[in-house]
Amino acid sequence: MAEKVAPSVDSRLPSYLLKLLKPNYMKLLYHHVISNALYLCLGPLLVLLFPRLSTLTLADLRELPNQPWVNLSAVVTTSTLLMAVATLYAMSRPRPVYLVDFSCYKPTQAHMASRGTIMEQFEKAGTFTDETVAFQRKMLERCGIGDSSYFPRSLLCTPIDMSHRTAREEAETVMFGATDELFQKTGLAAADVSILVVNCSLYHPTPSYTSMIVNRYKLRKDVLSYNLGGMGCSAGLISIDLVKNLLQVHPNSFAMVVSTENMTLNAYLGNNRSMLVSNSLFRLGGAAVLLSNRRSDRRRSKYQLVHTVRTHRGAEDCSHSCVMQEEDAEGKVGVALSKELMVVAGNALKANISTLGPLVLPMSEQLLFLAAMLLRKVLKLKIRSYIPDFKLAFEHFCIHAGGRAVLDELEKHLELTPWHMEPSRMTLHRFGNTSSSSLWYELSYIEAKGRIRRGDRVWQIAFGSGFKCNSAVWRALNTILAVHKNPWSDEIHKFPVHVPKVTPILP
C-alpha cells in the first residue's frame, strides 16, 4: 500500500501569497519598508497624539503666551537665530548646474563605412601581414559594430592621408558640426558663453581646440577656456566635473563642453596585436553640451547635475600602463592594451561605485551592503561581496560603448537587464566607439525612444586611460517626448536590433 504524502506548506497557501514569498518580491517589499520607514513610524505616533490634540481649543492657543513657562523674548531670539542660520545655509548652498541641451554630430553619408570597406582599406595600406589582416577581420566580426558607422575621409581615401592638415579638417568637421547644432537648438548667442572646455585625448594641435572654437564663433575676450588632452574615453565626464566646479564661483554663467576624438593620426598601421584594437572599435563622432547655473534656466533645461564621482587608479603601475600610447618594434605609434585591462577596469569600477553608492542608493540597499561587509570583515564568513541593486537608484544607464567585452562585463557585474543595456549596445552597433562622446549618443537614444520622464535619474559611467573610472548622475527636469535634431530621430524605429556574437563580413 502506497504511503500517503502530507501536503506541503506551500501547497496549502493561496497562489497570491506564494507569489509574494518569492525572493524578488520579498526584496522589493523590504526595500519599500525601509525607504518609507519614517512614514510608517509617523502614522502610529499621530494616532497616539491625536487624543491630546483633539482636546485643544482656540482658547487654549490664545492663552498660550500667558503661560509662565513661555518666554517671548527667548522665542524671538531663537526665531531670529534660526532665520539667520537658514539664510546663511541658503547663501552657501552649491549653485545648481543645469544641462540646458546637447547635440551629437552625425556625419554625412560620405563618411559612412561598412566593415568590408574598412577591411579593404586595411589591406590596401600594404603594411599588414596576412596574419594581421586575418586578426583584424576576426575582431571586426566580433566587435558588435554594424555596417553603418563612420570613418574620417582621410582614412577612406586611397592612399590613406594621415597628415596634420587632414587631422585638423576632421577636428573642425566634428567640433563645428556639433557646436553649430547646439547653438541652433538652444538659440544661445556665442557671446554668452563664459566657460569653454574641450577634451580630445590623442590629437593636440596648435592653436588648440578651444582657440579654434573661439576664432570660429568669435567668443568673448574674457572666456575661460580649458583644453584637456590624454585623459582617455572618460574625459567627457572630467570636463563636466570641471565645469561644475567652475560654475560654483562664476554666477549667472553659461558653459559649453565639447567632447571628441581624432582618428586621422591615430590609425595604427603596424602588426602589434595589442595595438590593433583601436582600428576595429573607434569611429568618427563628437558632442557639444551646454550647461548653466542660472536659476532662470531651470524651466527650459533638460537635466540637473546631481553628482560627479571621479576615481583614479594611476598610483598602481598595472593600472597606469594598461592603456599606453607608444611605439612598436618598427617605430610605428599605436595605443597598446594590456591583458589585465578588464581586471583593472573592474577594480576601478568597484572603487567608483563604493563612493557613489552611499550618495544614490536607498537605505535598504546600504543596509544589505553593510551587513554583508560586516559578515566578511568582522565574522570572517566566506560569502561573496554584496552587489547593490543600482536599478533601485537609477531608471537609465549610459555605459561607455567601449566594446562588447566591456558592456558584457558591466551587465554581469551590475546585474542589469538587456533593456538597461540597450542604449549602450545600440550606440556601439550604430556609431561604434566614439570615445568620450559615446555617452551623449546613448542619452540621445533614450530620448529618441521617449523613455525620459520628469524625475528620472540617469547614470553615466565611463573608463579612461590612466586608469580612470568616472560617473555623473543627472535628474530629468522635464518629460522629454518630442526630440528634434537627434542623431537617432530619423531611424529610431529600426532599433533595437539583434547583434549576433559573430557577424561575418560580406564581400
Side-chain angles (χ1 to χ4, degrees):
M1 184 175 180
E3 183 179 356
K4 188 176 181 180
V5 180
S8 65
V9 176
D10 289 349
S11 64
R12 295 195 296 269
L13 294 175
S15 58
Y16 70 89
L17 192 55
L18 288 175
K19 186 177 181 181
L20 288 175
L21 290 176
K22 291 183 178 179
N24 55 336
Y25 284 96
M26 292 298 293
K27 182 175 180 179
L28 189 60
L29 177 62
Y30 160 77
H31 164 65
H32 284 298
V33 169
I34 296 298
S35 299
N36 298 284
L38 179 62
Y39 304 104
L40 294 175
C41 295
L42 188 61
L45 182 61
L46 290 175
V47 171
L48 293 174
L49 292 176
F50 180 76
R52 176 71 182 107
L53 295 174
S54 62
T55 62
L56 291 176
T57 64
L58 291 176
D60 294 330
L61 296 176
R62 282 193 291 267
E63 187 65 20
L64 190 60
N66 300 324
Q67 299 298 323
W69 48 270
V70 174
N71 188 331
L72 290 181
S73 62
V75 171
V76 172
T77 303
T78 304
S79 300
T80 304
L81 180 61
L82 289 175
M83 291 180 62
V85 171
T87 303
L88 182 62
Y89 170 74
M91 294 178 61
S92 62
R93 284 177 60 195
R95 301 181 194 276
V97 176
Y98 303 118
L99 193 163
V100 180
D101 212 333
F102 66 97
S103 63
C104 297
Y105 174 65
K106 188 173 184 177
T108 64
Q109 291 291 323
H111 294 91
M112 187 174 289
S114 66
R115 291 170 301 135
T117 300
I118 295 172
M119 200 67 231
E120 289 178 8
Q121 290 298 103
F122 289 157
E123 293 175 354
K124 288 178 182 178
T127 60
F128 299 120
T129 64
D130 292 341
E131 292 78 11
T132 298
V133 171
F135 179 70
Q136 290 189 99
R137 178 179 293 274
K138 183 178 179 180
M139 286 194 298
L140 282 170
E141 291 177 340
R142 291 163 171 78
C143 66
I145 302 177
D147 288 321
S148 300
S149 59
Y150 303 98
F151 247 47
R153 297 294 298 275
S154 57
L155 301 181
L156 292 176
C157 62
T158 304
I160 290 174
D161 187 3
M162 297 174 62
S163 64
H164 282 280
R165 175 184 57 81
T166 55
R168 180 175 286 272
E169 289 174 357
E170 177 192 343
E172 292 176 345
T173 299
V174 175
M175 278 198 313
F176 297 160
T179 306
D180 285 346
E181 183 177 303
L182 181 65
F183 284 141
Q184 291 172 8
K185 291 172 72 172
T186 60
L188 184 74
D192 292 331
V193 175
S194 304
I195 300 169
L196 173 64
V197 179
V198 182
N199 64 269
C200 181
S201 291
L202 296 176
Y203 177 54
H204 314 291
T206 300
S208 66
Y209 275 98
T210 52
S211 294
M212 293 160 65
I213 293 178
V214 169
N215 178 260
R216 159 87 174 203
Y217 298 100
K218 308 307 177 187
L219 300 189
R220 51 204 284 182
K221 292 180 175 61
D222 61 344
V223 65
L224 301 176
S225 62
Y226 300 85
N227 209 89
L228 306 184
M231 304 194 80
C233 298
S234 68
L237 295 186
I238 295 175
S239 298
I240 295 295
D241 183 67
L242 173 59
V243 164
K244 180 191 75 171
N245 293 326
L246 290 170
L247 288 177
Q248 298 308 308
V249 294
H250 296 281
N252 299 315
S253 298
F254 285 107
M256 188 167 68
V257 171
V258 179
S259 297
T260 186
E261 192 52 85
N262 195 282
M263 298 176 62
T264 294
L265 293 178
N266 295 288
Y268 175 63
L269 302 180
N271 293 284
N272 186 326
R273 290 195 174 189
S274 67
M275 297 180 174
L276 288 169
V277 177
S278 58
N279 289 354
S280 303
L281 288 177
F282 285 93
R283 297 292 188 271
L284 187 69
V289 185
L290 180 65
L291 302 112
S292 170
N293 61 4
R294 306 192 320 169
R295 295 188 184 275
S296 59
D297 286 323
R298 178 185 175 88
R299 297 185 68 180
R300 70 166 180 149
S301 297
K302 286 185 172 182
Y303 307 93
Q304 181 173 350
L305 183 61
V306 182
H307 300 292
T308 55
V309 174
R310 294 171 55 181
T311 302
H312 203 310
R313 310 278 293 188
E316 303 168 357
D317 291 341
C318 61
S319 297
H320 174 71
S321 60
C322 69
V323 180
M324 183 75 70
Q325 186 180 31
E326 57 189 7
E327 295 176 331
D328 64 10
E330 299 175 352
K332 295 176 180 176
V333 178
V335 178
L337 306 180
S338 74
K339 295 179 180 179
E340 291 77 27
L341 176 60
M342 294 308 299
V343 175
V344 169
N347 292 334
L349 173 66
K350 291 177 183 177
N352 189 268
I353 64 178
S354 66
T355 303
L356 180 67
L359 301 175
V360 299
L361 286 170
M363 185 59 66
S364 56
E365 286 300 291
Q366 295 190 47
L367 289 176
L368 289 176
F369 179 81
L370 178 62
M373 185 177 68
L374 290 175
L375 290 175
R376 287 188 299 108
K377 301 291 186 181
V378 179
L379 300 181
K380 305 299 182 183
L381 297 181
K382 294 183 178 180
I383 60 173
R384 68 184 184 93
S385 300
Y386 178 73
I387 299 175
D389 188 356
F390 280 93
K391 297 187 294 296
L392 296 174
F394 307 110
E395 284 73 33
H396 308 286
F397 296 79
C398 295
I399 300 170
H400 168 54
R404 168 172 264 157
V406 174
L407 297 182
D408 288 345
E409 188 67 23
L410 265 72
E411 179 179 9
K412 177 182 176 182
H413 188 82
L414 296 176
E415 298 181 353
L416 301 179
T417 67
W419 186 87
H420 292 109
M421 298 298 299
E422 185 182 311
S424 299
R425 293 195 185 279
M426 292 305 101
T427 295
L428 179 65
H429 176 75
R430 177 62 181 86
F431 293 98
N433 181 348
T434 59
S435 190
S436 57
S437 65
S438 70
L439 298 173
W440 302 108
Y441 287 91
E442 293 165 15
L443 188 54
S444 294
Y445 180 90
I446 300 172
E447 290 186 355
K449 280 291 185 181
R451 295 176 181 176
I452 298 292
R453 295 291 182 270
R454 182 176 181 178
D456 282 0
R457 297 153 298 179
V458 181
W459 182 16
Q460 291 181 320
I461 183 167
F463 301 91
S465 57
F467 192 84
K468 298 178 285 291
C469 178
N470 300 318
S471 292
V473 177
W474 305 89
R475 184 177 68 252
L477 297 175
N478 298 289
T479 297
I480 301 174
L481 297 178
V483 178
H484 304 289
K485 296 182 179 179
N486 183 302
W488 298 90
S489 55
D490 60 344
E491 54 182 312
I492 192 63
H493 60 281
K494 301 177 184 178
F495 296 92
V497 298
H498 173 65
V499 183
K501 294 292 185 183
V502 179
T503 306
I505 298 176
L506 300 176

